[in-house]
Amino acid sequence: MNKNELQERNEILSEANKARWDLGVNFHDTVIEAIYEDASRIARKTVKQQGEKAAYSLDLKIDKIVTSRWLGFPLMFLMLAVVFWLTVAGANYPSGLLASFLIDYMHPILKQAAASINMPWWLDGVLIDGAYLAMAWVIAVMLPPMAIFFPLFTLLEDLGYLPRVAFNMDSMFRRAGAHGKQALTMSMGFGCNAAGVIAARVIDSPRERLIAIITNNFSLCNGRWPTQILIATIFIGSLVPAGIAGFVSAGAVVGIAILGIFFSLVVSWGLSKSVLKGEASAFSLELPPYRPPRILQTIYTSLIDRTVFVLWRAIVFAIPAGVVIWLVANIHIADLSLAEHFIQWSGPFALVFGLNGVILLAYIIAIPANEIVIPTVLMLTVLSTGTHGMGEGTGVIFELDSVGDTANILHAGGWTLLTGINLMLFSLLHNPCSTTIYTIYKETRSVKWTMVSTFLPIVLGFIVTFFTTQIWYLWFS
Amino acid sequence: MIKFIILSIPPGSMIVAGFAVLGIIFWIFWPKRGLLALLQKIKMNNERVQLEDALKYLFDCEYNSNMCNMNSIAGNLNISDDKAGQLIERLLSMGLITMDNQNISLTDTGKSYSLRVIRVHRIWERYLADETSIAQADWHNEADRIEHFVTREDTEKLAAQMGNPVFDPHGDPIPSIDGDLPEPKGKLLNHMKEGESGQIIHIEDEPRSIYEQLVAQGLYPGMPVFVTGVDNGKIIFAANGDECILTPLFAAQITVEALSDKTPVSAKHELLSSLELGERAEIAGISPNCRGQQRRRLMDLGVVPGSMVSAEMKSASGDPVGYRVMGTTIGIRKQQADLIFIHKNNDDTKK
């Protein structure tokens, strides 16, 4: 383009811009509205609809029930309870199978193979006891629940029921300044926070989407349910007679999950009143017609898109973490391993929050997956108390079949009822696992919001455990 | 040995210390009054900011053919007369203004400088209105804060992203990049006579307290008005079928452009939120108070003038309500349904 043309173009542009002042403020809207108006008028004249009415009236009858004032919420809770029950109950057996294959069967074989080729002890430790074992744990405990939960959830979505849940729950989220669809990402978060963060794509306005992403970590995910159940059984169930112990500890776990929902709403409210005040907001919720779910397709896509995807990310992070776990337990400086140094150094500070050094270290090095927190805690406790005859060896994470034995190790590590309660709170309120953090970064493309989502829960966790502990001391001293 | 000292602190003092730490954190981050907000305020009071604000004010005076002097500058910028005097001397030495007796007027350099600042201000106001959910009364202050600290390139990028808007959300024209601005149009609402009609083209956003009340009354640029009477200086007019009464002080904040080709709007629009379950109506329009994304989203879904809408179901908690429009059901909150106008035709309200 030569100089003259450029000048001419700029003149025309500035002329055009000046002309736009005369068109007035409503010009754009008038154009858009006129186009739509014409289109819909033509459509009304020329398009005839057949047969849609009858099918729709059935939809309306179903909607009358699932959104009714009295039945809406109970139906919803029933539906979610069934999904969770199927997940927890159904995952037990395949998890056991996977664990016995990958850990009880494959691990010794690999160790033997390593010995037969005279692999140095440290390489064998890093690769097999560290990397391999962490990966095996993650697959064994993560795969079955996700393979059950995600297809079930996707089926409900495909059926058209989930949008109705969002429709019913919206008023609660509206008061918190959030989007009704956050109810969906929240429930998805009960399966896996990383998947819940991805699910926040259904929210079209940026502000509400960020709120949903940041608060998703307050949904107690699959990886944390077993921790909660184990600790509740050991420390809270033992307070009451054996007959009702199961019931009471289950109640405690549900209580923690509800506390999570409460935090999710309160934090949403706080965010939308402060840092996220300025972000654009828009609300609309499509309520698609009900349709028979395409079962095979749903299972296939949810397994590929969600389960394998999330599992792959978890494995990628678990392998280096396994290496780190093994190394901190095996590298010695002046008679003590790195792990012991950290545990002894941080112990007094951790006590202020009613936790201990083992828990802090476990949450730092087991960041790839909440599933390996308890095995890591057990390994570290055995290591730091010097208990003999328990566990699999230095730096080898393990879990025990008997709850009683686990309790013995923890009591030997100096755990009290307060430690148990605080661990349950801290398990709810701590940084998301590295898979989720990475997913948040992928979804928001912002280091700032990734940092907020990571550190906000952990700060809250320290505040809550601090006050719980100090009030507890005050009460019982 | 710090760690053992920590353990010997009694829990009572620990709780107090905990609350103190929490309090300090809250104080730092508290909006408007916290430490960060205070630092922001100090930053705002620097010289350049005051200089640019003074130029903006002077330009506004000239544009509306008002006189201005040192006192009115001091009043507008909320600084002492002494400070205003210093400011004027500085402006004079920079060759941005000339003084004739007490009257101050802008030189050409001063004018183009102030137009640049005004362009940035109004583009940011447009952005805040359309792309964020900042409250309407805060647009002006927020843009006032931003305008001094953004680069020109960033603002132009923003303008290009929004399709080079030519009006700010209050109805003021945005100066072009070359510093052109159209002649002021329309007349003030307090000068209108009975029977005259027109369209609001501008609502003055300062002072904020008056602006807030006008906004609360539901007035917006683009709104058709029809003056039904003038009583004791008070202006009585119909806006969207609602009767409004404004005192001259308030009416003088509103500029109206006469409309020749349109019949006065006296019929009141009904709101979508007033539709009972099972009723049907035709959509008449979306209020201009519903902007940006939200507006685009509603239009995408078929909420446009002429399409039929019916209320189908209420959620278990009563809000939102599911409306059927163009063959799909969408849930809309009451807050949004209040911004959608409908016509109820009595002959086909029942299906």
Side-chain angles (χ1 to χ4, degrees):
Chain A
M1 207 184 294
N2 63 36
K3 227 177 181 175
N4 270 343
E5 269 178 48
L6 197 70
Q7 199 180 354
E8 204 174 322
R9 193 186 70 160
N10 284 341
E11 268 169 30
I12 293 174
L13 279 177
S14 87
E15 234 4 79
N17 263 333
K18 274 179 218 164
R20 284 168 66 202
W21 279 319
D22 297 324
L23 285 170
V25 276
N26 283 346
F27 169 64
H28 271 231
D29 270 21
T30 321
V31 172
I32 297 171
E33 282 174 11
I35 292 172
Y36 273 112
E37 208 166 349
D38 285 348
S40 72
R41 200 177 295 134
I42 294 167
R44 230 187 301 161
K45 269 187 207 152
T46 53
V47 179
K48 268 194 190 134
Q49 285 177 329
Q50 263 179 345
E52 194 234 10
K53 273 266 145 70
Y56 176 62
S57 72
L58 176 66
D59 270 23
L60 207 57
K61 274 194 197 108
I62 302 176
D63 275 337
K64 281 261 145 62
I65 299 169
V66 300
T67 63
S68 75
R69 186 170 285 262
W70 302 112
L71 283 174
F73 287 115
L75 264 176
M76 189 182 74
F77 287 123
L78 190 72
M79 207 74 101
L80 287 178
V82 167
V83 168
F84 288 131
W85 183 78
L86 283 176
T87 308
V88 172
N92 252 338
Y93 182 67
S95 267
L97 271 188
L98 275 174
S100 67
F101 174 73
L102 290 172
I103 297 163
D104 300 342
Y105 179 72
M106 282 302 286
H107 185 236
I109 289 185
L110 284 172
K111 292 287 274 188
Q112 268 174 17
S116 70
I117 57 164
N118 286 327
M119 199 185 260
W121 70 273
W122 52 269
L123 189 63
D124 159 270
V126 164
L127 289 181
I128 299 170
D129 292 336
Y132 171 76
L133 213 51
M135 185 196 77
W137 268 109
V138 167
I139 295 177
V141 262
M142 223 169 160
L143 181 60
M146 286 207 300
I148 298 172
F149 182 81
F150 288 144
L152 283 177
F153 205 75
T154 319
L155 278 180
L156 282 181
E157 196 178 341
D158 208 32
L159 187 71
Y161 179 66
L162 288 191
R164 270 74 182 177
V165 170
F167 185 62
N168 280 337
M169 299 276 281
D170 182 61
S171 70
M172 207 156 91
F173 286 94
R174 175 171 46 85
R175 279 182 207 126
H179 196 289
K181 282 183 191 161
Q182 195 173 320
L184 304 186
T185 65
M186 198 175 81
S187 333
M188 184 64 113
F190 284 125
C192 169
N193 294 138
V197 168
I198 296 176
R201 285 179 192 169
V202 296
I203 299 175
D204 39 17
S205 80
R207 190 182 80 95
E208 278 87 347
R209 191 161 157 241
L210 262 178
I211 293 181
I213 288 176
I214 295 171
T215 58
N216 197 272
N217 188 42
F218 296 117
S219 295
L220 207 55
C221 72
N222 253 327
R224 290 182 271 173
W225 285 100
T227 309
Q228 297 282 352
I229 294 169
L230 180 72
I231 299 299
T233 313
I234 294 176
F235 291 99
I236 295 177
S238 63
L239 291 179
V240 293
I244 54 166
F247 185 72
V248 169
S249 38
V253 176
V254 172
I256 292 283
I258 291 174
L259 188 70
I261 297 177
F262 168 78
F263 270 108
S264 166
L265 285 169
V266 169
V267 171
S268 298
W269 179 82
L271 285 172
S272 64
K273 286 276 174 275
S274 56
V275 279
L276 281 172
K277 204 171 150 199
E279 298 283 327
S281 143
F283 178 83
S284 62
L285 190 70
E286 292 103 298
L287 299 165
Y290 292 101
R291 55 168 179 244
R294 297 154 296 177
I295 295 178
L296 288 178
Q297 198 183 345
T298 307
I299 292 178
Y300 175 78
T301 51
S302 65
L303 280 182
I304 295 300
D305 287 357
R306 289 174 176 159
T307 314
V308 173
F309 180 73
V310 170
L311 189 67
W312 174 243
R313 278 192 184 174
I315 289 174
V316 167
F317 284 110
I319 290 173
V323 173
V324 171
I325 291 174
W326 190 85
L327 288 178
V328 293
N330 280 288
I331 297 179
H332 290 263
I333 296 175
D335 288 349
L336 285 178
S337 64
L338 286 181
E340 286 165 291
H341 276 296
F342 180 86
I343 291 167
Q344 290 191 357
W345 172 80
S346 66
F349 296 100
L351 269 179
V352 172
F353 301 98
L355 300 166
N356 58 42
V358 168
I359 298 175
L360 288 189
L361 183 60
Y363 270 98
I364 293 172
I365 57 183
I367 193 176
N370 284 293
E371 281 87 348
I372 56 172
V373 165
I374 286 295
T376 311
V377 163
L378 291 179
M379 183 273 282
L380 290 174
T381 310
V382 170
L383 178 74
S384 66
T385 52
T387 317
H388 290 288
M390 279 285 188
E392 310 278 326
T394 313
V396 184
I397 55 177
F398 66 96
E399 207 159 57
L400 296 166
D401 291 333
S402 135
V403 174
D405 289 345
T406 312
N408 286 340
I409 292 186
L410 294 180
H411 286 305
W415 288 45
T416 60
L417 172 59
L418 178 65
T419 324
I421 292 174
N422 278 325
L423 179 64
M424 287 174 81
L425 290 170
F426 196 68
S427 158
L428 174 71
L429 301 167
H430 71 87
N431 56 291
C433 65
S434 54
T435 314
T436 308
I437 296 176
Y438 180 62
T439 308
I440 291 172
Y441 176 70
K442 278 279 206 184
E443 293 295 308
T444 58
R445 288 265 148 225
S446 142
V447 177
K448 179 179 143 201
W449 293 121
T450 311
M451 288 294 142
V452 171
S453 327
T454 306
F455 290 104
L456 186 86
I458 200 161
V459 168
L460 265 179
F462 279 124
I463 293 174
V464 169
T465 49
F466 174 81
F467 282 107
T468 311
T469 306
Q470 298 304 329
I471 290 170
W472 180 282
Y473 285 156
L474 196 64
W475 200 266
F476 292 102
S477 62
Chain B
M1 286 301 98
I2 289 178
K3 51 194 190 184
F4 298 109
I5 297 171
I6 289 178
L7 290 181
S8 61
I9 299 172
S13 341
M14 274 299 227
I15 293 173
V16 174
F19 275 115
V21 170
L22 270 189
I24 291 171
I25 292 174
F26 272 107
W27 174 67
I28 292 175
F29 289 104
W30 200 256
K32 284 183 184 160
R33 291 211 181 80
L35 182 68
L36 289 181
L38 280 178
L39 288 176
Q40 190 77 48
K41 257 181 212 160
I42 292 168
K43 200 170 144 201
M44 278 300 290
N45 276 331
N46 77 35
E47 224 167 331
R48 189 166 67 98
V49 172
Q50 284 186 353
L51 191 133
E52 290 182 351
D53 282 344
L55 283 175
K56 238 174 27 172
Y57 169 71
L58 285 167
F59 183 85
D60 231 30
C61 286
E62 285 187 16
Y63 189 66
N64 296 322
S65 358
N66 295 335
M67 289 296 172
C68 77
N69 53 33
M70 198 177 79
N71 288 336
S72 63
I73 290 180
N76 184 268
L77 297 190
N78 204 6
I79 51 177
S80 68
D81 280 359
D82 269 359
K83 278 259 171 64
Q86 285 168 15
L87 194 60
I88 287 167
E89 253 166 53
R90 214 175 123 74
L91 286 168
L92 272 171
S93 70
M94 290 170 79
L96 296 171
I97 56 171
T98 54
M99 254 183 117
D100 171 31
N101 285 334
Q102 282 300 306
N103 285 332
I104 302 169
S105 50
L106 288 166
T107 62
D108 281 348
T109 346
K111 201 171 273 176
S112 74
Y113 191 164
S114 52
L115 276 166
R116 269 208 309 275
V117 182
I118 290 173
R119 177 169 167 82
V120 174
H121 177 85
R122 292 188 179 161
I123 284 174
W124 277 90
E125 275 190 333
R126 183 82 253 170
Y127 167 77
L128 293 174
D130 283 1
E131 310 287 327
T132 72
S133 52
I134 285 182
Q136 197 163 351
D138 292 328
W139 294 339
H140 179 78
N141 294 347
E142 193 61 21
D144 256 349
R145 194 176 65 74
I146 295 169
E147 69 192 10
H148 309 290
F149 305 110
V150 288
T151 64
R152 220 171 147 198
E153 288 75 39
D154 282 348
T155 308
E156 291 311 326
K157 228 184 264 168
L158 191 74
Q161 256 173 35
M162 291 189 295
N164 288 310
V166 287
F167 288 101
D168 81 354
H170 309 292
D172 286 321
I174 297 175
S176 73
I177 197 160
D178 312 318
D180 291 317
L181 200 62
E183 290 302 305
K185 284 194 295 194
K187 55 178 172 180
L188 296 181
L189 183 61
N190 56 338
H191 295 151
M192 285 179 72
K193 307 262 171 338
E194 192 177 328
E196 282 186 319
S197 71
Q199 167 173 257
I200 297 180
I201 56 168
H202 169 68
I203 300 176
E204 180 53 44
D205 54 15
E206 271 186 322
R208 181 187 156 122
S209 57
I210 293 186
Y211 180 65
E212 264 177 350
Q213 288 184 52
L214 293 174
V215 168
Q217 290 222 358
L219 304 174
Y220 51 80
M223 189 183 210
V225 291
F226 175 60
V227 177
T228 52
V230 180
D231 175 32
N232 259 343
K234 281 186 183 164
I235 310 281
I236 305 161
F237 62 98
N240 265 353
D242 259 337
E243 195 186 65
C244 290
I245 302 173
L246 289 182
T247 59
L249 176 70
F250 278 64
Q253 301 283 318
I254 299 174
T255 317
V256 178
E257 187 183 25
L259 281 183
S260 47
D261 56 335
K262 276 198 184 168
T263 45
V265 194
S266 50
K268 186 180 174 177
H269 286 312
E270 279 170 289
L271 302 176
L272 183 59
S273 51
S274 70
L275 208 60
E276 294 291 323
L277 283 194
E279 275 187 327
R280 238 163 108 79
E282 189 184 333
I283 290 170
I286 306 178
S287 155
N289 275 329
C290 171
R291 293 181 195 81
Q293 255 201 350
Q294 200 161 301
R295 189 180 188 87
R296 285 198 292 277
R297 187 90 192 118
L298 284 175
M299 285 185 146
D300 286 348
L301 290 167
V303 181
V304 284
S307 51
M308 299 302 292
V309 61
S310 55
E312 295 292 348
M313 55 189 183
K314 256 194 176 112
S315 92
S317 42
D319 178 18
V321 172
Y323 296 98
R324 199 163 174 80
V325 59
M326 291 209 171
T328 48
T329 313
I330 46 174
I332 298 179
R333 288 177 179 168
K334 188 180 176 304
Q335 205 186 341
Q336 268 85 355
D338 277 341
L339 297 174
I340 299 170
F341 302 129
I342 51 167
H343 287 310
K344 282 188 199 167
N345 284 340
N346 288 329
D347 39 307
D348 66 9
T349 46
K350 293 276 173 236
K351 281 197 292 185

